[in-house]
Amino acid sequence: TKRGSQTYILSEGLWSGNIEGSTITLELLVNGAPQLKWARLGSALEFNLKIVNQGDEAVSDLTAALSFSSALLDWNLASAPDGSVKDRAITFPKEGALTIPAGKTQEFTAVVPVLASALASLPPLIKVQAAVKIGNLILSSSPIEILVVSNTRLEAGARYFGAEGKPLGAGPLPPKVGEETQWEIYWNLNNSFHDLSNIAVIATLPLGVQWTNNYAATVGTLRFADATREVRWEIPRLTITAAAARAAFKVAVTPTEAQRGQLLPLLGVSRAEATDAITQVDFTVDAPSVSTALETDPLAKGKGVVQ
């Protein structure tokens, strides 16, 4: 996934091939698509194994397995409805052996989550290999490799009051038609698995929301582009030893009569783009849009509907 891409698939992979001297074809997909790239800590990897008998006769006494090599998988949460999970491997079927009729396909699925947190010193690689056993013959695929990238988390929110109850915003609360109210919007960026480089957090101000030119960031550069209404926060590098990065800026809205009785949108969906400094993978992480619902401000929550 390149910077700015709209791809949301966590990781994906495909291995397929004919086994020499056999009518059996294996196809292994990860998260449903044919490109192997990356996964994030805490994500779930769904494996789909298809065993196809392309011959004119049934193939009997067949079993299959997925074997894994990684310290970053959570085997306590692994599952396989038609298989058995044991010793960092998943075998199919759960009991006995298979017979696949001529021209037919046997399909199995399994889910193995990536650990939610891990030491940065662990190798950031997951290898998985498919194999079938027909009688005494074992036939294996080439391994699929999945890189594990930073566990970056992006939080976006708005508030009227600070932690100690001091107003950060200004104007009437709840907002009133024809009167200006200001709120502070903030971004928090957390990361603890791999160092990051070339970070950019981007969001758009909705029409009617005004940039007040009152802003600050603990690291990097924050700016607003009038032509595109884009707020952009750029950070050259963020290490795992650094405290959470934070940026904040104030916006103003003067509600119209048409907005009476409504919550006001304050910021569109936020997206963080970054490069994992260890794996050199470009990835993105999003945070939901922000409104005057002010869910993270206990003193202002419930006071966002225009009066």
Side-chain angles (χ1 to χ4, degrees):
T1 299
K2 297 299 181 181
R3 186 165 311 221
S5 167
Q6 299 300 308
T7 301
Y8 289 93
I9 295 170
L10 292 173
S11 65
E12 47 195 44
L14 170 69
W15 182 92
S16 64
N18 295 312
I19 300 170
E20 186 176 355
S22 171
T23 61
I24 293 296
T25 297
L26 291 180
E27 183 177 272
L28 177 61
L29 294 99
V30 187
N31 285 9
Q35 293 179 356
L36 171 64
K37 291 297 181 184
W38 52 271
R40 298 186 63 211
L41 289 178
S43 63
L45 300 178
E46 181 176 282
F47 299 90
N48 180 256
L49 176 62
K50 294 181 181 179
I51 308 170
V52 183
N53 181 3
Q54 297 180 327
D56 297 327
E57 297 181 0
V59 176
S60 302
D61 195 20
L62 185 150
T63 58
L66 299 177
S67 58
F68 299 80
S69 175
S70 177
L72 295 174
L73 295 173
D74 190 346
W75 287 102
N76 292 324
L77 298 178
S79 62
D82 300 309
S84 176
V85 180
K86 185 178 180 181
D87 298 330
R88 297 190 177 186
I90 302 174
T91 56
F92 306 101
K94 190 171 294 186
E95 296 180 354
L98 299 170
T99 295
I100 303 180
K104 298 297 183 180
T105 299
Q106 181 71 51
E107 189 170 347
F108 297 102
T109 61
V111 176
V112 185
V114 184
L115 289 171
S117 62
L119 296 175
S121 58
L122 291 175
L125 184 65
I126 297 170
K127 289 185 178 182
V128 58
Q129 190 170 31
V132 294
K133 182 179 180 182
I134 305 172
N136 294 321
L137 179 64
I138 298 177
L139 308 149
S140 299
S141 73
S142 300
I144 287 176
E145 296 186 349
I146 302 169
L147 291 171
V148 180
V149 303
S150 170
N151 62 339
T152 305
R153 298 175 302 281
L154 175 64
E155 178 189 8
R159 58 186 188 174
Y160 190 93
F161 295 102
E164 298 178 356
K166 181 180 178 180
L168 298 172
L173 190 73
K176 295 183 179 180
V177 170
E179 299 185 38
E180 182 183 275
T181 299
Q182 293 187 11
W183 294 266
E184 182 181 85
I185 296 177
Y186 62 86
W187 280 324
N188 289 329
L189 196 61
N190 296 277
N191 175 62
S192 62
F193 186 50
H194 292 158
D195 292 353
L196 303 178
S197 61
N198 304 320
I199 307 124
V201 181
I202 306 162
T204 302
L205 293 186
L207 292 175
V209 179
Q210 302 301 314
W211 175 262
T212 67
N213 209 36
N214 187 339
Y215 60 93
T218 59
V219 63
T221 303
L222 185 67
R223 64 178 184 269
F224 174 68
D226 286 302
T228 60
R229 302 190 57 77
E230 181 183 89
V231 186
R232 188 179 184 92
W233 179 26
E234 295 183 339
I235 307 170
R237 188 171 181 84
L238 187 65
T239 68
I240 60 174
T241 57
R246 182 179 177 85
F249 51 94
K250 292 185 179 181
V251 298
V253 181
T254 301
T256 65
E257 182 62 38
Q259 293 173 313
R260 187 186 296 274
Q262 300 178 13
L263 293 170
L264 298 172
L266 296 178
L267 187 71
V269 172
S270 298
R271 166 162 291 188
E273 305 171 346
T275 301
D276 185 302
I278 301 299
T279 64
Q280 289 300 301
V281 169
D282 294 341
F283 68 97
T284 64
V285 57
D286 292 348
S289 58
V290 176
S291 76
T292 54
L294 305 180
E295 296 290 343
T296 58
D297 185 344
L299 295 177
K301 184 177 179 181
K303 300 177 181 179
V305 175
V306 177
Q307 305 299 303

